[in-house]
Amino acid sequence: MKQAALFPYNARQLPNFRKRPEQMQDTYTFKEIPSQRPNTPLLDRIDAPAQLRELPAEQLTQLARELRAFLLWSVGQTGGHFGAGLGVLELTVALHYVFNTPEDRLVWDVGHQAYPHKILTGRREQMGSIRRKDGLAGFPKRAESEYDTFGVGHSSTSISAALGMAIAARMQNTGRKSIAVIGDGAMTAGMAFEALNHAGHLHSDMLVILNDNDMSISRNVGGLSNYFAKLLASRTYNQVRDSSKKVLQGAPHLMALAKKTEEHFKGMIAPGTLFEELGFNYIGPIDGHDLPLLVETLENIRELEGPQFLHVVTTKGKGFAPAEADPIGYHAINKIEPVPAHKPEPVTPKPAKPKYANIFGQWLCDTAEQDERVVGITPAMCEGSDLLAFAERYPERYFDVAIAEQHSVTLAAGLACDGAKPVLAIYSTFLQRGYDQLIHDVAIQNLDVLFAIDRAGLVGEDGPTHAGAFDISYLRCIPNMLVMTPSDENETRQLLQTG
């Protein structure tokens, strides 16, 4: 079969990667998920990153095309996290090509984006078992592979973990590299900035890569920013900078002036002033889908000492048109059911039964209509906790605090101090992150906060990091806490009202 038939892409001229992100196009964009396993001769040769590193650089683009085709097909067969992996596909290839994994430690934040990493690290033929009993985990898992350097599931842990690995490498004098890949959403958690602050203070040899897939930090990706990123990462620039520092060591006033001049120069061309102030050498933003540029930039950064910060701009769902258009809807997908050989008899669909989250969302709207003191809070789980209707009807009383569970709990406590009726919709497994605030800021002060705890109990496919298995045990021992566990929709409404 001809390759064109196996890769149902849009045929377009090679993209101009110096355009703004919303203008970037990929020559190979799928419009539908392949129903048959695509032909991937180059990818089939890669059972470990060491084999990837033997490829000539000019073959990496073809490898990325085959990897995207295989990823789309495999997730279509199994379901699972979807858009994030497509967005970091080129970055994954470049990282394993440039760095000596697993000796160099590669830490993925959250792990939603780790499917391409799993495929390239010896688990290609096991992808059909992902998120199944005794199959591959949906996230990086240390017991599964030596390439999974840190087990994840909750967000914003990568920089802390990679920093610990960098410190260990320094203690052991191994020269091993540590790389953390964190998304812009995970940067909304305080833990990420705590780790950045500590890494800058220690001047540790590590690389933090910010995957900016929502343009939440910067839009200025283009020819100049790509050029300056390559310049700032180059050995020549950094050698000149280091030499200048040595020359100016005896003149502190001139040293301070030179540092300020460099900061102002970077501030004019890049949005990295904050990271520079935290002690990182900021590089970027660059196009995260330009594979040659990624390889060249990472090769330069690999030779630098001290904390480095690379800002890449990507498109979530890259290479699959529906996911690019609807990144939230395609965050994860169910498996694609095969079309039956014979058309079945039409069956009148039964109305979908409401879930606990739907009952909660309806109750919150009804209660807010009756009591203007009611406030709804969520740490980035608006859709999951069915707060969309509440957010639309009562925007002034709705607060999505992003991935900041600790803040969400103390925010609720502050509201309760002054007469509001805060309702915090939070997943059971995520409330674990706000446990100190729950005890110190709510329970000890006996404040009136209602925790609507979603996804309690076992959550099979996402594994142990997402199972709400501990909530009753960790809540029932806290004073001034009343734990209620409804068994059906009616009890859910009644107990919410009681709370």
Side-chain angles (χ1 to χ4, degrees):
M1 189 178 292
K2 293 182 179 179
Q3 192 179 46
L6 288 165
F7 292 85
Y9 305 108
N10 290 337
R12 280 196 288 268
Q13 188 179 3
L14 279 173
N16 177 2
F17 284 114
R18 304 300 181 251
K19 297 177 181 177
R20 291 164 60 102
E22 62 268 28
Q23 295 173 312
M24 294 177 188
Q25 297 294 337
D26 192 333
T27 312
Y28 299 91
T29 299
F30 282 81
K31 292 185 177 179
E32 58 186 31
I33 296 175
S35 59
Q36 296 182 347
R37 179 169 177 156
N39 184 27
T40 55
L42 199 56
L43 179 64
D44 292 345
R45 291 162 44 191
I46 308 300
D47 293 317
Q51 295 167 315
L52 166 64
R53 292 189 282 271
E54 293 174 357
L55 295 177
E58 55 268 20
Q59 286 191 323
L60 294 181
T61 300
Q62 177 61 30
L63 176 67
R65 293 169 184 168
E66 294 182 12
L67 178 56
R68 179 164 276 113
F70 182 87
L71 177 63
L72 284 166
W73 171 77
S74 67
V75 179
Q77 298 297 303
T78 63
H81 286 106
F82 190 72
L86 291 169
V88 299
L89 192 143
E90 286 81 9
L91 178 62
T92 305
V93 172
L95 284 168
H96 282 296
Y97 188 73
V98 172
F99 291 97
N100 184 31
T101 55
E103 175 63 18
D104 290 335
R105 306 305 199 223
L106 179 57
V107 183
W108 297 97
D109 209 284
V110 188
H112 294 157
Q113 71 276 46
Y115 289 16
H117 161 79
K118 287 177 180 274
I119 294 169
L120 291 174
T121 53
R123 290 167 277 182
R124 180 184 63 249
E125 301 306 319
Q126 297 172 270
M127 290 301 290
S129 70
I130 201 162
R131 293 159 58 97
R132 301 289 186 270
K133 185 178 183 296
D134 300 324
L136 293 181
F139 305 94
K141 185 177 181 180
R142 282 174 55 84
E144 185 177 289
S145 170
E146 63 180 335
Y147 294 94
D148 291 359
T149 60
F150 197 72
V152 289
H154 293 182
S155 82
S156 314
T157 61
S158 61
I159 304 176
S160 297
L163 175 58
M165 294 171 188
I167 294 171
R170 184 172 64 190
M171 292 171 61
Q172 298 159 8
N173 196 28
T174 62
R176 191 172 57 231
K177 303 294 183 181
S178 294
I179 307 101
V181 184
I182 186 167
D184 51 1
M187 287 293 289
T188 62
M191 183 177 179
F193 283 93
E194 292 169 13
L196 285 170
N197 182 59
H198 192 203
H201 172 71
L202 294 178
H203 201 67
S204 299
D205 285 340
M206 66 178 297
L207 168 61
V208 174
I209 300 177
L210 171 61
N211 173 30
D212 180 359
N213 63 21
D214 198 26
M215 295 176 289
S216 61
I217 293 180
S218 174
R219 289 178 175 268
N220 64 334
V221 173
L224 274 178
S225 65
N226 283 335
Y227 170 77
F228 282 122
K230 289 164 65 176
L231 171 66
L232 297 174
S234 69
R235 182 181 299 180
T236 302
Y237 171 83
N238 285 277
Q239 284 177 342
V240 171
R241 185 183 65 170
D242 293 341
S243 299
S244 300
K245 287 181 179 179
K246 291 178 182 178
V247 171
L248 296 174
Q249 278 180 346
H253 295 299
L254 289 175
M255 174 77 86
L257 177 62
K259 187 174 186 298
K260 281 292 181 185
T261 301
E262 182 184 38
E263 288 177 356
H264 287 309
F265 168 69
K266 286 188 173 183
M268 287 188 294
I269 62 170
T273 304
L274 170 64
F275 306 110
E276 291 276 343
E277 292 298 326
L278 287 171
F280 279 76
N281 178 38
Y282 174 90
I283 299 162
I286 66 171
D287 172 18
H289 300 295
D290 187 335
L291 194 44
L293 176 63
L294 285 168
V295 169
E296 182 180 358
T297 304
L298 289 171
E299 285 177 340
N300 287 333
I301 292 174
R302 185 184 57 193
E303 305 303 320
L304 303 180
E305 296 181 354
Q308 310 296 322
F309 192 99
L310 175 62
H311 180 177
V312 301
V313 176
T314 62
T315 300
K316 194 172 183 179
K318 181 68 174 177
F320 183 62
E324 291 184 29
D326 181 16
I328 294 176
Y330 280 90
H331 172 70
I333 64 169
N334 295 322
K335 64 181 291 187
I336 308 300
E337 298 294 342
V339 178
H342 302 287
K343 190 174 181 180
E345 294 294 324
V347 178
T348 304
K350 296 180 180 180
K353 293 182 179 180
K355 301 177 181 179
Y356 279 99
N358 305 137
I359 301 298
F360 164 71
Q362 295 165 9
W363 171 82
L364 188 60
C365 288
D366 295 343
T367 307
E369 186 177 4
Q370 299 166 9
D371 190 344
E372 62 182 15
R373 297 174 298 168
V374 170
V375 174
I377 305 170
T378 179
M381 287 292 126
C382 178
E383 292 83 8
S385 296
D386 200 17
L387 287 172
L388 287 171
F390 180 85
E392 292 174 1
R393 289 174 59 179
Y394 304 103
E396 73 285 353
R397 287 192 269 162
Y398 166 74
F399 300 96
D400 184 341
V401 302
I403 304 173
E405 291 86 359
Q406 298 97 322
H407 167 60
S408 71
V409 177
T410 304
L411 173 68
L415 282 160
C417 283
D418 283 342
K421 301 279 286 186
V423 179
L424 174 54
I426 188 167
Y427 285 17
S428 170
T429 184
F430 298 154
L431 182 56
Q432 294 165 186
R433 309 188 79 171
Y435 195 51
D436 173 63
Q437 289 73 19
L438 183 146
I439 296 171
H440 183 274
D441 299 337
V442 177
I444 289 177
Q445 302 190 89
N446 197 21
L447 290 172
D448 184 11
V449 177
L450 177 60
F451 294 90
I453 303 174
D454 201 354
R455 304 306 197 273
L458 295 179
V459 183
E461 290 183 341
D462 280 337
T465 59
H466 283 61
F470 307 109
D471 44 27
I472 293 177
S473 60
Y474 74 63
L475 290 172
R476 67 182 303 192
C477 60
I478 305 303
N480 301 320
M481 292 290 292
L482 177 63
V483 181
M484 299 180 284
T485 56
S487 60
D488 57 27
E489 299 90 334
N490 178 55
E491 279 192 2
T492 300
R493 274 197 78 100
Q494 297 293 345
L495 291 180
L496 283 167
Q497 194 64 37
T498 301

